[in-house]
């Protein structure tokens, strides 16, 4: 149950990242990359606090990022 809650919270974090990236569409690529690493670190810290395992944390965070990316690009393909 903990992993499920962490996945949902991380999807919220990735959605927030997408919203902020959309709001800052005129920023340089370097700042967007830096912002991605900040959000990745926040998602990583959240998961590590709950699971107490670095290996599980890295796997869950990477999995949630892949799931969110696939959903994001699938919806982008369907709307354009």
């Amino acid at each position: 149950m903990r992993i499920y809650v962490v996945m949902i919270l991380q999807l919220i974090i990735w959605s927030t990242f997408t919203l902020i990236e959309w709001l800052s569409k005129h920023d340089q690529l370097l700042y967007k990359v830096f912002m991605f690493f900040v959000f990745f670190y926040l998602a990583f810290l959240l998961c590590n606090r709950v699971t107490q395992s670095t290996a599980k944390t890295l796997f869950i965070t990477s999995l949630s990022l892949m799931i969110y990316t696939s959903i994001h690009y699938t919806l982008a393909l369907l709307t354009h």
Side-chain angles (χ1 to χ4, degrees):
M1 186 69 176
R2 287 182 181 179
I3 294 174
Y4 180 69
V5 171
V6 168
M7 287 288 288
I8 290 174
L9 290 174
Q10 284 187 346
L11 289 175
I12 291 170
I13 289 173
W14 297 128
S15 298
T16 307
F17 168 72
T18 303
L19 175 67
I20 292 174
E21 184 184 28
W22 176 70
L23 290 173
S24 64
K25 59 185 167 189
H26 298 293
D27 286 347
Q28 294 178 3
L29 180 63
L30 179 65
Y31 297 122
K32 290 182 181 183
V33 169
F34 180 70
M35 185 174 60
F36 170 77
F37 283 117
V38 168
F39 276 85
F40 186 85
Y41 183 68
L42 287 174
F44 190 85
L45 281 180
L46 172 82
C47 187
N48 198 19
R49 175 79 55 137
V50 173
T51 62
Q52 305 278 321
S53 169
T54 306
K56 277 185 184 179
T57 298
L58 189 58
F59 176 74
I60 293 169
T61 304
S62 300
L63 181 66
S64 72
L65 181 59
M66 285 189 288
I67 290 171
Y68 184 74
T69 303
S70 65
I71 291 171
H72 182 74
Y73 282 118
T74 302
L75 290 175
L77 284 173
L78 291 175
T79 59
H80 288 94

